[in-house]
Amino acid sequence: MRSKAMLATTAALLVLTACGGGGPETGPGFGPGQGAGQAGAGDPAEGTLENPTRNGGVNGAAPDDATGFAGLPVAGSMKAAYDFVAGNSDCEDLGTNPNDERFYPQDAEMDADWGVTERGVCSTGNSDQRTRIFMVGDMEKFQAAYKSDLYKEFGDDPTAGLNGGFAVAQDFAVVAVGDDDVRGVIGSGLLVLNCNPSFAVPSGYQKEKALVEGCVLTDFLGD
């Protein structure tokens, strides 16, 4: 699960293909938002997959206590996480068998160190690309592992991760592929984990504290 393999870049958007423009070795990406409407009496609780917090709130109007990490969606299961991702991006035919050829072998090597409890993979319209879903039992551990892995790359490339890394919720993370898929996942409630010390969130974009020092959560995607 090295960050180079996990990050999303597109040739024009992210270094992950932004998660989209390259082959299967490119990283995460995110897509067109399907934000929830304003919550009313009897509507699903804000911050859930049925009513995700987006850009600081449902349609930008979340209460103060539903922002940042605490306002991100919670899946609770791989099925719910898959349904969420599939509903907002090109993601079909969920696979959870470790022998599924669509998995990245290096992902399994890092599961324990990253706090990953379950992994899933789904196909996209491009046969050379796939989207990966990680159920995370300890998101702070996951973010710390990503930061540590990223910092190992700075000797060779100080811009590593500058365009962002995983799209994260409270208990799952996504590496999507394709410009639209990347933006769809972000626009639907997840935020991008960015740990590059040179990164600054442009004005007007959401900026939230990550669970580890030196990282931020944002809805901004670099070029």
Side-chain angles (χ1 to χ4, degrees):
M1 198 194 281
R2 305 251 359 131
S3 55
K4 285 183 178 177
M6 310 301 294
L7 291 181
T9 350
T10 100
L13 221 223
L14 290 173
V15 163
L16 306 171
T17 51
C19 222
E25 294 308 318
T26 57
F30 323 88
Q34 295 181 2
Q38 286 291 352
D43 286 343
E46 186 173 332
T48 64
L49 294 183
E50 292 76 22
N51 188 356
T53 299
R54 180 182 65 157
N55 296 332
V58 176
N59 290 341
D64 292 340
D65 62 353
T67 58
F69 182 78
L72 292 176
V74 177
S77 69
M78 175 58 74
K79 180 182 184 303
Y82 167 68
D83 288 344
F84 177 86
V85 176
N88 294 284
S89 66
D90 190 358
C91 180
E92 301 178 349
D93 189 20
L94 174 68
T96 58
N97 187 326
N99 295 320
D100 192 315
E101 62 181 9
R102 294 173 297 172
F103 275 116
Y104 286 88
Q106 62 267 38
D107 288 354
E109 300 172 4
M110 307 294 287
D111 281 357
D113 293 336
W114 288 59
V116 172
T117 59
E118 189 176 2
R119 288 180 292 118
V121 62
C122 57
S123 300
T124 71
N126 186 327
S127 60
D128 292 329
Q129 299 172 343
R130 77 293 305 264
T131 291
R132 287 120 81 204
I133 303 170
F134 303 85
M135 295 304 299
V136 181
D138 186 339
M139 185 56 75
E140 183 174 359
K141 184 176 184 179
F142 181 90
Q143 293 185 15
Y146 169 72
K147 177 183 176 182
S148 176
D149 203 53
L150 185 66
Y151 272 52
K152 293 175 184 177
E153 300 180 20
F154 288 158
D156 296 326
D157 181 11
T159 67
L162 187 61
N163 292 320
F166 295 87
V168 300
Q170 288 194 51
D171 63 349
F172 69 96
V174 179
V175 175
V177 295
D179 295 358
D180 289 341
D181 294 326
V182 174
R183 301 211 176 264
V185 175
I186 291 177
S188 60
L190 305 192
L191 292 177
V192 181
L193 175 64
N194 196 309
C195 297
N196 188 300
S198 298
F199 173 71
V201 179
S203 60
Y205 288 91
Q206 186 174 356
K207 177 183 178 181
E208 305 289 352
K209 284 186 177 181
L211 297 181
V212 296
E213 192 69 29
C215 300
V216 296
L217 300 174
T218 179
D219 59 353
F220 174 78
L221 284 174
D223 294 329

